Amino acid sequence: MERLRFASVWLGGCAGCHMSFLDLDEFLLDLAGRVEVVYSPIADLKTYPENVDLCLVEGAICNVDHVELAHQIRARTKIVVSFGDCAVTANVPAMRNVLGAKNADNVLQRAYVEAAEANPVKPALDGVLPPLLPKVVPLHQLIKVDHCLPGCPPPADRIKALLLHLLDAAPALSGSQLKFG
């Protein structure tokens, strides 16, 4: 039996969803027998591959690199899952949106100048930081998403339920399995 080509991606967020994914414990061994991991922050691959069957996307769209990767994911993946509250709603990364139209400049000023203990300078060289978007958005505002898995982070049992739904056509998530926060 051919194994499903599986990917996970970490965009703007804290990596908590991937930590929760690792809490799948022994189910990870079952999953490893059924999928081929072709892209993941854990594997540190640099290029998103073609012909991916399933991708869990953690995090909000915050910068131009996220936009490019999200479009590659949609073009190269059969099933895209918005993985966690940051991907589903933009959640905490979107807090900078309240800073107004110049929020990207304000965030860089705060992070690299005001909060710096040494060498308070905003990075100015091209390619040092990907340009921030004027507004942080959830994944579905940029690309079509096939499933949403809310939670901050989604608990391991909820991740397992979604994976079993997609792998084995187990019952879809409902009720408390679709809880935010």
Side-chain angles (χ1 to χ4, degrees):
M1 180 169 105
E2 188 172 314
R3 295 189 307 167
L4 183 137
R5 291 173 54 83
F6 176 82
S8 68
V9 173
W10 175 21
L11 302 177
C14 68
C17 297
H18 276 86
M19 295 299 106
S20 193
F21 180 83
L22 293 176
D23 285 341
L24 289 170
D25 298 330
E26 64 275 357
F27 180 71
L28 288 173
L29 297 174
D30 296 337
L31 189 62
R34 301 179 66 183
V35 303
E36 173 189 2
V37 178
V38 295
Y39 190 89
S40 169
I42 296 167
D44 196 29
L45 301 168
K46 302 302 182 203
T47 304
Y48 192 83
E50 299 282 346
N51 302 317
V52 176
D53 295 306
L54 170 62
C55 181
L56 303 179
V57 181
E58 173 186 359
I61 306 295
C62 301
N63 63 49
V64 296
D65 287 359
H66 295 161
V67 171
E68 181 181 344
L69 181 55
H71 286 297
Q72 287 177 354
I73 291 166
R74 184 67 273 176
R76 300 173 183 176
T77 308
K78 292 177 187 166
I79 300 171
V80 175
V81 176
S82 197
F83 181 37
D85 286 355
C86 292
V88 175
T89 69
N91 205 23
V92 173
M95 290 174 67
R96 76 173 164 97
N97 292 347
V98 300
L99 298 174
K102 294 192 175 245
N103 71 65
D105 287 338
N106 292 338
V107 166
L108 294 176
Q109 176 71 21
R110 176 71 183 138
Y112 288 98
V113 177
E114 296 169 15
E117 293 182 9
N119 194 23
V121 175
K122 282 198 281 188
L125 301 173
D126 288 340
V128 173
L129 291 176
L132 298 179
L133 298 176
K135 184 177 179 184
V136 176
V137 296
L139 185 63
H140 72 273
Q141 286 190 12
L142 186 66
I143 64 171
K144 178 185 175 287
V145 170
D146 302 298
H147 295 275
C148 292
L149 184 60
C152 183
D157 63 337
R158 196 181 306 165
I159 298 168
K160 180 179 177 181
L162 175 71
L163 291 172
L164 289 174
H165 169 68
L166 297 173
L167 293 169
D168 297 335
L173 303 182
S174 63
S176 64
Q177 292 178 313
L178 296 174
K179 180 180 168 188
F180 288 86

